Amino acid sequence: MLDLKFVRGNPQKVQEALASRGAKLSLTEFLRLDEQRREKLFTVEQMKNRRNVVSEEIGRLKKAGKDEPDMIVEMRDLSRSIKEKDEEIKEVEGRLQEILLDIPNIPHESVPVGADAADNQVVRQWGKPRDFGFAPRPHWEIGENLNILDFERGGKVTGARFCFYKGLGARLERAIISFMLDLHTGEHGYTEIFPPFMVNRDSMIGTGQLPKFAEDMFKIEGTEYYLIPTAEVPVTNLYRGEILDGGKLPISHCAYSACFRAEAGAAGRDTRGLIRLHQFNKVELVKFCKPEDSYAELEKLTGNAEKVLQLLGLPYRAVVLCTGDMGFSSAKTYDLEVWLPSYQDYKEISSCSNFGDFQARRAGIRYRNDKGKVELAHTLNGSGLAVGRTVAAIMENCQEADGTVTIPEVLRPYMGGLGKIG
RNA sequence: GGAGAGUUGGCCGAGUAGGUUGAAGGCGCUCGCCUGCUAAGCGAGUAUACGGGCAAAACCUGUAUCGAGGGUUCGAAUCCCUCACUCUCCGCCA
């Protein structure tokens, strides 16, 4: 959510910034409502002031044994008018809020302007796609051949875009989760969180999934709970409505969770394998920091995610998303894309974003600065990494001609010392 | 799921015959004083949001907030209703 006062003072700037990310939006309605709100608020507050003053007077008189029926009658009318006015204000505020909640974040000035993914810029490249010397197989074939992935039964037991991991496949998934959590807690200074996998509506609004993207979410029937699309939601909302101690910032959390996505707009895309499932595992990195630190923290957080890929020996590149390709809440995003031989391309495996104060304003995440003043914190998060895609990348990049998969060194302690699958 | 008790400021905790209670008192914290140091002591201050004044900060001022929402009333932390959460006992359960 943008700052109402900022939008009021800089409508032109806001409009231009949002146009750069392809969001068409007129602020005239918004500005009109804002004007109305303040006007009505001013009136009703004066009325309330009078009511308070007179009511106090009535109390005083009553104590002195005097009745003031005229005053009470006057106040009865006044209270009725206040009630009407309050309702008008509530309506205007509701509409204002609706508009405000639907406006995406303003991109940071360092973000390249562009229309879509084609305008994203590669900022770093690490490792080289391997020269196999044989025809590499896609991971879904390797997985089925080794009997460690079972998509068919996933479809039977649940439905499309669900999968069973079996045997060493399941073990590998678990090993990766443990490896990543150990790395981030042990080397990168994150505190581990194990969050609820369902959250309430306010939390979904807090991080920006609702109200705009309801169709992407799984809602639990008969409750007000949603399955989390990422641990970002529960972990960022940990401090919703709180004022944090500025001395404790930055706060860094990492969290494993299952993630649930309806993938409403993704029909026909990535239909095979582990790349796009309704349920997948992810280790998420989340930070809360002071505004002046957030862009430096974004670089660090992205580096922490990259470290995972480097230790696994997976070729990747880091891309800065252009204005037109960024997510709704983000001010700046780096995607990490891992090399996938089956795609003959780099595929997103992590997305690291600085949200500025956008989520913090929605969620009321603030801190007290050195001067004792309360300010909005900045929030960040990134995948560190998506686990299913990591499994896919390992299976494809580390496959051998005989159909086996070599396990990266760093994972072997988590695999009971095993060096390969197959 | 059944029965009961609760939800007040950073924390603890008063406040139930409705009327200067945004809220006593204590703790904590900040600043000042005092003590050779430490401990203790003394004084002052210590919520947030949104309006208005203002170019703006400081500041002044108004409104709202005692779990959330609604109701009764001239006036509600105090009365009524709905919901959420917490605790205790029972049931069930990993």
Side-chain angles (χ1 to χ4, degrees):
Chain A
M1 191 161 67
L2 300 182
D3 180 18
L4 186 130
K5 282 179 196 149
F6 180 79
V7 178
R8 182 189 300 154
N10 310 276
Q12 199 61 32
K13 244 189 217 171
V14 171
Q15 219 137 13
E16 279 164 25
L18 299 183
S20 81
R21 39 152 82 230
K24 275 186 240 122
L25 153 97
S26 158
L27 290 175
T28 51
E29 162 88 345
F30 175 85
L31 294 170
R32 208 196 80 228
L33 289 168
D34 176 53
E35 185 80 34
Q36 259 184 39
R37 167 174 175 270
R38 280 184 293 156
E39 201 183 291
K40 287 175 191 292
L41 209 53
F42 186 73
T43 319
V44 82
E45 283 183 359
Q46 282 183 324
M47 291 160 81
K48 283 180 179 173
N49 179 234
R50 166 134 181 93
R51 180 175 69 184
N52 287 346
V53 169
V54 175
S55 290
E56 213 173 280
E57 180 65 18
I58 292 173
R60 213 172 291 129
L61 289 171
K62 210 149 209 176
K63 231 171 212 170
K66 284 186 232 170
D67 268 342
E68 279 302 335
D70 289 353
M71 281 174 138
I72 289 180
V73 168
E74 187 205 334
M75 285 305 102
R76 194 174 294 155
D77 288 344
L78 184 62
S79 267
R80 201 173 299 129
S81 310
I82 288 174
K83 206 170 183 178
E84 283 166 17
K85 209 82 191 166
D86 268 341
E87 254 151 49
E88 285 174 37
I89 290 170
K90 210 168 145 189
E91 201 189 309
V92 171
E93 283 186 338
R95 277 195 281 164
L96 264 176
Q97 191 73 355
E98 237 171 75
I99 295 173
L100 220 42
L101 285 174
D102 269 8
I103 299 177
N105 201 359
I106 294 178
H108 188 249
E109 66 247 22
S110 67
V111 173
V113 175
D116 52 42
D119 295 320
N120 296 342
Q121 291 174 7
V122 177
V123 294
R124 273 187 297 285
Q125 194 135 2
W126 187 94
K128 270 204 189 90
R130 179 175 143 207
D131 185 8
F132 285 95
F134 61 91
R137 292 193 175 83
H139 68 273
W140 52 90
E141 280 182 29
I142 302 168
E144 276 165 0
N145 290 342
L146 292 175
N147 196 28
I148 58 175
L149 294 179
D150 192 338
F151 294 100
E152 218 160 285
R153 290 198 177 95
K156 175 180 77 177
V157 172
T158 305
R161 295 193 190 277
F162 286 90
C163 162
F164 282 89
Y165 289 75
K166 300 193 289 197
L168 290 175
R171 178 84 186 253
L172 180 61
E173 181 92 358
R174 180 159 57 91
I176 290 169
I177 293 167
S178 295
F179 162 66
M180 289 176 180
L181 286 172
D182 285 353
L183 176 69
H184 295 310
T185 56
E187 308 290 322
H188 299 155
Y190 292 78
T191 303
E192 185 171 347
I193 302 284
F194 191 89
F197 291 2
M198 298 179 203
V199 296
N200 60 29
R201 187 180 161 78
D202 283 345
S203 294
M204 283 297 202
I205 289 173
T207 31
Q209 282 75 20
L210 290 179
K212 210 168 182 178
F213 305 103
E215 70 280 0
D216 295 338
M217 238 61 64
F218 286 110
K219 188 174 182 199
I220 314 290
E221 198 176 353
T223 73
E224 274 304 310
Y225 299 152
Y226 296 82
L227 290 178
I228 58 170
T230 157
E232 162 196 353
V233 179
V235 177
T236 305
N237 279 283
L238 249 185
Y239 305 116
R240 170 152 56 81
E242 297 189 22
I243 298 174
L244 303 166
D245 176 359
K248 298 245 164 68
L249 298 179
I251 294 172
S252 304
H253 287 317
C254 65
Y256 156 76
S257 88
C259 303
F260 303 90
R261 299 190 182 177
E263 297 293 350
R269 281 168 59 197
D270 306 313
T271 50
R272 308 207 63 181
L274 295 168
I275 301 305
R276 192 174 299 274
L277 300 176
H278 287 308
Q279 175 191 320
F280 63 96
N281 293 310
K282 183 156 59 69
V283 169
E284 185 76 357
L285 307 172
V286 176
K287 289 200 189 207
F288 306 82
C289 70
K290 297 179 183 173
E292 61 267 30
D293 299 332
S294 67
Y295 283 92
E297 291 294 340
L298 176 63
E299 298 301 322
K300 273 205 241 169
L301 184 147
T302 307
N304 297 151
E306 284 178 59
K307 187 73 183 175
V308 178
L309 288 162
Q310 290 167 10
L311 289 172
L312 292 172
L314 297 170
Y316 72 91
R317 63 183 191 186
V319 165
V320 60
L321 298 192
C322 73
T323 52
D325 199 33
M326 277 199 313
F328 177 78
S329 303
S330 176
K332 182 171 187 173
T333 298
Y334 291 110
D335 272 6
L336 302 181
E337 301 178 335
V338 71
W339 177 255
L340 274 191
S342 62
Y343 279 62
Q344 277 299 295
D345 201 358
Y346 289 93
K347 186 77 182 168
E348 176 188 339
I349 195 165
S350 171
S351 192
C352 304
S353 302
N354 181 5
F355 301 94
D357 61 15
F358 187 85
Q359 292 183 327
R361 185 173 294 107
R362 288 177 160 244
I365 302 167
R366 295 167 297 170
Y367 75 100
R368 206 173 291 280
N369 66 20
D370 310 336
K371 295 185 190 101
K373 260 194 77 179
V374 173
E375 276 189 88
L376 289 169
H378 278 197
T379 61
L380 302 93
N381 69 54
S383 344
L385 310 163
V387 179
R389 290 188 180 184
T390 304
V391 168
I394 289 171
M395 286 171 65
E396 293 195 6
N397 284 288
C398 307
Q399 64 179 300
E400 308 303 340
D402 62 1
T404 61
V405 173
T406 301
I407 297 167
E409 288 288 347
V410 290
L411 292 180
R412 291 182 189 177
Y414 296 92
M415 294 291 288
L418 207 66
K420 71 175 185 177
I421 301 175

